[in-house]
Amino acid sequence: MKKNKRINLTLVFSLVIIVISFIYYNFNIKSSSYSPYSEKPFLVEQFQVAEDCQSCHPQHYLEWSSSMHAYAFKDPVFFAMNTIEQNYHKDKGEDLGQFCIECHSPVAYTTNLIKNPDELTFKNSQKLPDQVTEGVGCSFCHAMVHTSDTPNINTKKSLFNVVEYHIDPSNKMYGSISDPLPNNFHESVYNQDFSTSEACLPCHNLLVDGKNAEITFSEWESSKYKSNGFPCQECHMETYEGFAVDPKLFPQAKKRYNLHRHFFAGIDEARTAFPHKDLQRNEIKRLLEQTANLNINDLSLITEQNKIKFEVEVFNRAGHNIPSGATFARELWLDIKVLSANDTIYQTGFVNKNNELYDFSIDPNKEIDPDLVIFRSVFYDEKGDSGIYKTSAQRMTKKSDYTISTFESFRKNYTINAPNSSDSNFKIIAKLKFRARSPGFIDHLGLKGQVPYSDTFIVDEKIVEFDSGSQLSMISEE
């Protein structure tokens, strides 16, 4: 009997603890949450300027200052797109509000500092506080007390500002170090969420009326990377050995073996004057080079038909689709050239005088480059219009997805006419190329001559040479 009473008391006590924890947790989340519908926004003064972090965290500050997080509210592409989309929705009698601002300057969003987002320009943004213009800064990210959900725009109700943050902007800094060094500058609090992919929400996932729009997180979530415990930070915030603080200022600081880089490596690049662009470019190259493999398979020369046959394969090694994110504006494509001696007998993936590919916006009937392969998404709006000049994420009603899923391959077979195949040497040059945005898109934004076009990166390349002897022989493969 006594034993049963002890069991019952234990169950009751456990239940009380669970209830108290649940109430405390939900109160804490609610009190630290912000959405446009919150009763009281935060104050700018509750956030520190990133430069204030430099003296104690020089390495982290250096890396962040070269990142697209720091460039997010300085990017002329951002301001041009905001203006175009604000005008589009205004003409429809809709208020786009802070849709573009909520991730490009979360401090501005959570303080409701920009009262008229439709009037925002790069010029007048310079009058805003540093905490706003520094984009995604240190004190905002390190104020996170809990991860956010994926935002889901409701176009029928014109609800575009749906991002909700759970932050505690105070003298506490939250992070992934479980035994932080006590100091007189701020309280340091361990938060395991910083080591999870969910920390990248809400800005790296977006639904529109429940439909997938920009879903990098969802792509990762359905991949082998999640099941193998491999979060986004493994690639985009590489670990290294070092000190979290300047050891000259803090001699008692210990060396750590699981620090994270703060380059926030991605595939966008600052196109105007910006600090440490060389560091940013190196990170882009590093990331792209480990993204995908390109191979030339099943090569055969059929001399009696004067034809060359081969397969090109692209294998996605990334933890999400390639490309990912704003895929409607990305260009990842195959550039393939076949040479007979020194003459080009076949080519696809070439560009015009304006450095543009012959995609459906330039060559809708596929007359110039019919074999062009571009990996990206195509959005369609309510009128059925498509393409990067006519629609964007929040206007989307449906999309066609031509990206490559993680750990999947794209394969395409080629049959090339090869005149005089019986007495020639041949070379196949296959390249997987990438650029963040097309020149036509920059022109469409009204930035021609103001912003340099996106650079083209070679993700992978294969070169195969062979002759036309009685037996096919591989001369080289790089």
Side-chain angles (χ1 to χ4, degrees), residues 22-68:
F22 177 79
I23 293 172
Y24 173 80
Y25 171 81
N26 282 279
F27 175 78
N28 185 45
I29 293 300
K30 185 176 181 180
S31 64
S32 62
S33 297
Y34 178 83
S35 75
Y37 318 108
S38 299
E39 294 180 4
K40 187 177 180 182
F42 293 108
L43 302 175
V44 172
E45 294 75 21
Q46 291 178 267
F47 300 91
Q48 286 75 46
V49 178
E51 198 171 72
D52 292 346
C53 309
Q54 183 178 12
S55 59
C56 296
H57 306 280
Q59 185 61 35
H60 287 161
Y61 177 82
L62 172 69
E63 294 167 359
W64 168 85
S65 65
S66 72
S67 74
M68 290 303 290

Side-chain angles (χ1 to χ4, degrees), residues 365-396:
N365 296 322
K366 294 188 175 183
E367 297 173 343
I368 301 174
D369 189 0
D371 292 339
L372 176 63
V373 174
I374 304 182
F375 305 104
R376 65 181 177 193
S377 294
V378 178
F379 288 170
Y380 299 86
D381 66 11
E382 59 188 1
K383 297 178 182 179
D385 288 335
S386 63
I388 57 176
Y389 308 140
K390 296 181 179 180
T391 189
S392 57
Q394 83 286 350
R395 300 192 209 176
M396 185 202 80

Side-chain angles (χ1 to χ4, degrees), residues 170-383:
S170 62
N171 197 43
K172 295 178 181 178
M173 291 292 166
Y174 299 82
S176 61
I177 296 177
S178 59
D179 57 339
L181 182 70
N183 64 87
N184 297 323
F185 297 93
H186 59 76
E187 183 180 349
S188 302
V189 181
Y190 170 63
N191 183 345
Q192 63 181 1
D193 288 340
F194 279 80
S195 299
T196 69
S197 292
E198 284 75 9
C200 305
L201 292 172
C203 291
H204 294 279
N205 230 37
L206 176 66
L207 303 180
V208 178
D209 296 324
K211 302 182 185 74
N212 293 337
E214 300 174 5
I215 53 165
T216 302
F217 175 83
S218 295
E219 292 163 0
W220 167 86
E221 192 173 34
S222 62
S223 75
K224 295 179 181 178
Y225 282 91
K226 180 183 180 180
S227 57
N228 290 331
F230 203 88
C232 304
Q233 290 87 336
E234 291 293 326
C235 291
H236 298 279
M237 296 182 70
E238 283 190 311
T239 56
Y240 70 100
E241 297 179 10
F243 294 90
V245 293
D246 187 346
K248 294 178 182 178
L249 294 179
F250 298 91
Q252 70 275 37
K254 63 181 181 181
K255 190 174 184 179
R256 299 184 181 276
Y257 300 91
N258 60 344
L259 295 178
H260 287 278
R261 294 292 182 193
H262 281 59
F263 292 113
F264 304 103
I267 42 78
D268 280 306
E269 183 178 16
R271 303 310 297 154
T272 53
F274 195 62
H276 314 298
K277 290 179 71 173
D278 56 329
L279 297 179
Q280 187 184 78
R281 173 166 283 263
N282 289 339
E283 285 298 297
I284 293 173
K285 286 182 178 180
R286 175 190 66 79
L287 201 65
L288 286 174
E289 287 171 358
Q290 65 187 37
T291 293
N293 291 124
L294 183 148
N295 292 299
I296 299 174
N297 305 322
D298 302 331
L299 176 62
S300 62
L301 175 62
I302 308 172
T303 54
E304 61 270 19
Q305 298 179 14
N306 286 329
K307 294 187 183 297
I308 300 170
K309 292 187 176 183
F310 59 92
E311 177 194 74
V312 171
E313 176 192 10
V314 180
F315 178 71
N316 178 12
R317 299 163 55 198
H320 47 69
N321 291 18
I322 55 170
S324 191
T327 51
F328 70 101
R330 308 287 189 218
E331 289 189 326
L332 178 70
W333 77 97
L334 290 174
D335 180 339
I336 300 172
K337 184 183 291 187
V338 181
L339 304 176
S340 174
N342 293 320
D343 297 326
T344 300
I345 61 174
Y346 175 83
Q347 188 172 6
T348 182
F350 50 90
V351 296
N352 63 17
K353 292 181 180 179
N354 196 41
N355 205 26
E356 292 179 283
L357 291 164
Y358 288 96
D359 65 357
F360 69 90
S361 62
I362 304 295
D363 182 24
N365 296 322
K366 294 188 175 183
E367 297 173 343
I368 301 174
D369 189 0
D371 292 339
L372 176 63
V373 174
I374 304 182
F375 305 104
R376 65 181 177 193
S377 294
V378 178
F379 288 170
Y380 299 86
D381 66 11
E382 59 188 1
K383 297 178 182 179

Side-chain angles (χ1 to χ4, degrees), residues 29 33-36 38 102 109 147-149 151 162-166 202:
I29 293 300
S33 297
Y34 178 83
S35 75
S38 299
E102 57 194 5
Y109 175 69
T147 57
S148 301
D149 294 327
V162 293
V163 162
E164 185 171 339
Y165 291 105
H166 306 296

